[in-house]
Amino acid sequence: MPAPSAPPTATSATTAPPAAAVPAGVPAGVPAGGSRFGPLALVISAGISVQFGAALAVMIMPRVGAAGVVTLRLAAAAIVLLLLCRPKVRGYVRADWGTVVAFGVTMAGMNGLFYQAIDRIPLGPAVTLEVLGPLALSVIVSRRLVNLLWAGLALAGVVLLSSHGGGGFGGLDLVGAAYAIGAGVMWAAYIVFSARTGRRFPQADGLALAMAVAAVLSLPLGIVEAGSELLEPSTLALGLGVAVLSSVLPYTLELLALRRLPAPTFAILMSLEPAIAAAAGFLVLNQAMSAMDALAIALVIAASIGAVRSQTRKQAA
């Protein structure tokens, strides 16, 4: 995940790309000159950071539960971003605050649902199902007949996951799968409100404020589930690690990359998130994936890339 990237606006911010988007407040233009190897490495590193952060979150869930992890991540990320951005709170109208609150609500919902999902099903399938939300948004926004092909390809991948037992979706907790799909719906909403917030607030100020809203919303659930365990030094340290890996670090890397990388290229790279998640699940959590599972994930990735490219051609026409 936003994941987000997303995690902070890292994983999404405009309505253009399907599987990801541009961080709030960052222009999505094509930069002039410069080698692309550096930006590509930054985006891939950000994806690795997000998914290995999610794997670390799974490891500490036995201590504080999914809601506790969400609270730790959002609270730590909010504190770091508020200290770094020092956003101004004066000079904004009610509509501005309404937008940032809506952004925070979607951020809390996306994270809450996603962590409930990975508490029940492996990381790779969870991210694959989550990506369907932004993909559906892209298909709807583009209104191109060819995108029905990409939607069908993604559906084929989901069918493979749902019909295959063992490590696939068919052998997993259906509640966990529903949480992952719900997280995808919230991810699509996150993209919309991230873009609106980026237009109303300078730099990452809106992101920092929205992260604070999300942290406040998640706090009661985290306290109910984890209680005083949230204040254990070792748990706080691990929660900070999740926040840095899943939010602060990827947002910073993507912010740097987007200064030299076209937004469509960024979105295509972010479409690789399910594959990175499957690798993180295998390496950190010993969540093995069969060849059929890998094929299903590859179909969803191909659908995301195809949707990005077709929408880019429409915008260039």
Side-chain angles (χ1 to χ4, degrees), residues 171-185:
L172 301 176
D173 188 322
L174 292 179
V175 174
Y179 276 129
I181 293 172
V185 173

PDB file of all heavy atoms in Angstrom, residues 171-185:
ATOM      1  N   GLY A 171      -8.366 -19.715  -1.116  1.00  0.00           N
ATOM      2  CA  GLY A 171      -8.089 -20.420   0.122  1.00  0.00           C
ATOM      3  C   GLY A 171      -7.936 -19.498   1.309  1.00  0.00           C
ATOM      4  O   GLY A 171      -7.456 -19.923   2.351  1.00  0.00           O
ATOM      5  N   LEU A 172      -8.359 -18.243   1.165  1.00  0.00           N
ATOM      6  CA  LEU A 172      -8.121 -17.250   2.207  1.00  0.00           C
ATOM      7  C   LEU A 172      -9.422 -16.771   2.842  1.00  0.00           C
ATOM      8  O   LEU A 172     -10.519 -17.062   2.369  1.00  0.00           O
ATOM      9  CB  LEU A 172      -7.376 -16.051   1.615  1.00  0.00           C
ATOM     10  CG  LEU A 172      -6.017 -16.374   0.990  1.00  0.00           C
ATOM     11  CD1 LEU A 172      -5.434 -15.139   0.360  1.00  0.00           C
ATOM     12  CD2 LEU A 172      -5.071 -16.933   2.040  1.00  0.00           C
ATOM     13  N   ASP A 173      -9.271 -16.026   3.891  1.00  0.00           N
ATOM     14  CA  ASP A 173     -10.394 -15.446   4.614  1.00  0.00           C
ATOM     15  C   ASP A 173     -11.131 -14.460   3.707  1.00  0.00           C
ATOM     16  O   ASP A 173     -10.554 -13.482   3.238  1.00  0.00           O
ATOM     17  CB  ASP A 173      -9.845 -14.741   5.855  1.00  0.00           C
ATOM     18  CG  ASP A 173     -10.936 -14.251   6.784  1.00  0.00           C
ATOM     19  OD1 ASP A 173     -11.979 -13.790   6.299  1.00  0.00           O
ATOM     20  OD2 ASP A 173     -10.726 -14.339   8.001  1.00  0.00           O
ATOM     21  N   LEU A 174     -12.429 -14.716   3.458  1.00  0.00           N
ATOM     22  CA  LEU A 174     -13.204 -13.838   2.600  1.00  0.00           C
ATOM     23  C   LEU A 174     -13.388 -12.454   3.222  1.00  0.00           C
ATOM     24  O   LEU A 174     -13.502 -11.459   2.508  1.00  0.00           O
ATOM     25  CB  LEU A 174     -14.562 -14.474   2.296  1.00  0.00           C
ATOM     26  CG  LEU A 174     -14.527 -15.731   1.431  1.00  0.00           C
ATOM     27  CD1 LEU A 174     -15.930 -16.263   1.222  1.00  0.00           C
ATOM     28  CD2 LEU A 174     -13.858 -15.443   0.094  1.00  0.00           C
ATOM     29  N   VAL A 175     -13.414 -12.396   4.531  1.00  0.00           N
ATOM     30  CA  VAL A 175     -13.515 -11.095   5.206  1.00  0.00           C
ATOM     31  C   VAL A 175     -12.268 -10.268   4.909  1.00  0.00           C
ATOM     32  O   VAL A 175     -12.338  -9.064   4.635  1.00  0.00           O
ATOM     33  CB  VAL A 175     -13.711 -11.273   6.721  1.00  0.00           C
ATOM     34  CG1 VAL A 175     -13.677  -9.917   7.426  1.00  0.00           C
ATOM     35  CG2 VAL A 175     -15.028 -11.977   7.007  1.00  0.00           C
ATOM     36  N   GLY A 176     -11.102 -10.920   4.942  1.00  0.00           N
ATOM     37  CA  GLY A 176      -9.861 -10.226   4.619  1.00  0.00           C
ATOM     38  C   GLY A 176      -9.860  -9.713   3.192  1.00  0.00           C
ATOM     39  O   GLY A 176      -9.420  -8.585   2.921  1.00  0.00           O
ATOM     40  N   ALA A 177     -10.374 -10.528   2.269  1.00  0.00           N
ATOM     41  CA  ALA A 177     -10.465 -10.091   0.878  1.00  0.00           C
ATOM     42  C   ALA A 177     -11.397  -8.901   0.738  1.00  0.00           C
ATOM     43  O   ALA A 177     -11.123  -7.949  -0.006  1.00  0.00           O
ATOM     44  CB  ALA A 177     -10.950 -11.244  -0.004  1.00  0.00           C
ATOM     45  N   ALA A 178     -12.518  -8.925   1.473  1.00  0.00           N
ATOM     46  CA  ALA A 178     -13.462  -7.802   1.432  1.00  0.00           C
ATOM     47  C   ALA A 178     -12.818  -6.532   1.976  1.00  0.00           C
ATOM     48  O   ALA A 178     -13.027  -5.426   1.438  1.00  0.00           O
ATOM     49  CB  ALA A 178     -14.714  -8.154   2.228  1.00  0.00           C
ATOM     50  N   TYR A 179     -12.029  -6.683   3.042  1.00  0.00           N
ATOM     51  CA  TYR A 179     -11.306  -5.516   3.573  1.00  0.00           C
ATOM     52  C   TYR A 179     -10.358  -4.939   2.520  1.00  0.00           C
ATOM     53  O   TYR A 179     -10.235  -3.717   2.378  1.00  0.00           O
ATOM     54  CB  TYR A 179     -10.515  -5.907   4.815  1.00  0.00           C
ATOM     55  CG  TYR A 179     -11.302  -5.893   6.103  1.00  0.00           C
ATOM     56  CD1 TYR A 179     -11.293  -6.994   6.962  1.00  0.00           C
ATOM     57  CD2 TYR A 179     -12.036  -4.776   6.476  1.00  0.00           C
ATOM     58  CE1 TYR A 179     -12.002  -6.990   8.158  1.00  0.00           C
ATOM     59  CE2 TYR A 179     -12.753  -4.756   7.670  1.00  0.00           C
ATOM     60  CZ  TYR A 179     -12.736  -5.872   8.506  1.00  0.00           C
ATOM     61  OH  TYR A 179     -13.447  -5.846   9.679  1.00  0.00           O
ATOM     62  N   ALA A 180      -9.662  -5.818   1.787  1.00  0.00           N
ATOM     63  CA  ALA A 180      -8.723  -5.352   0.768  1.00  0.00           C
ATOM     64  C   ALA A 180      -9.444  -4.599  -0.344  1.00  0.00           C
ATOM     65  O   ALA A 180      -8.981  -3.552  -0.809  1.00  0.00           O
ATOM     66  CB  ALA A 180      -7.948  -6.537   0.186  1.00  0.00           C
ATOM     67  N   ILE A 181     -10.592  -5.111  -0.778  1.00  0.00           N
ATOM     68  CA  ILE A 181     -11.370  -4.424  -1.805  1.00  0.00           C
ATOM     69  C   ILE A 181     -11.880  -3.089  -1.269  1.00  0.00           C
ATOM     70  O   ILE A 181     -11.874  -2.066  -1.968  1.00  0.00           O
ATOM     71  CB  ILE A 181     -12.529  -5.311  -2.275  1.00  0.00           C
ATOM     72  CG1 ILE A 181     -11.966  -6.542  -3.006  1.00  0.00           C
ATOM     73  CG2 ILE A 181     -13.475  -4.541  -3.194  1.00  0.00           C
ATOM     74  CD1 ILE A 181     -13.004  -7.588  -3.350  1.00  0.00           C
ATOM     75  N   GLY A 182     -12.333  -3.076   0.002  1.00  0.00           N
ATOM     76  CA  GLY A 182     -12.756  -1.825   0.616  1.00  0.00           C
ATOM     77  C   GLY A 182     -11.626  -0.812   0.677  1.00  0.00           C
ATOM     78  O   GLY A 182     -11.835   0.386   0.447  1.00  0.00           O
ATOM     79  N   ALA A 183     -10.410  -1.298   0.968  1.00  0.00           N
ATOM     80  CA  ALA A 183      -9.251  -0.404   0.973  1.00  0.00           C
ATOM     81  C   ALA A 183      -9.008   0.175  -0.413  1.00  0.00           C
ATOM     82  O   ALA A 183      -8.611   1.338  -0.548  1.00  0.00           O
ATOM     83  CB  ALA A 183      -8.006  -1.158   1.452  1.00  0.00           C
ATOM     84  N   GLY A 184      -9.271  -0.621  -1.452  1.00  0.00           N
ATOM     85  CA  GLY A 184      -9.129  -0.126  -2.818  1.00  0.00           C
ATOM     86  C   GLY A 184     -10.122   0.977  -3.133  1.00  0.00           C
ATOM     87  O   GLY A 184      -9.785   1.963  -3.801  1.00  0.00           O
ATOM     88  N   VAL A 185     -11.354   0.832  -2.650  1.00  0.00           N
ATOM     89  CA  VAL A 185     -12.364   1.875  -2.834  1.00  0.00           C
ATOM     90  C   VAL A 185     -11.917   3.166  -2.153  1.00  0.00           C
ATOM     91  O   VAL A 185     -12.005   4.271  -2.716  1.00  0.00           O
ATOM     92  CB  VAL A 185     -13.729   1.421  -2.282  1.00  0.00           C
ATOM     93  CG1 VAL A 185     -14.732   2.569  -2.318  1.00  0.00           C
ATOM     94  CG2 VAL A 185     -14.251   0.219  -3.071  1.00  0.00           C
TER      95      VAL A 185
END
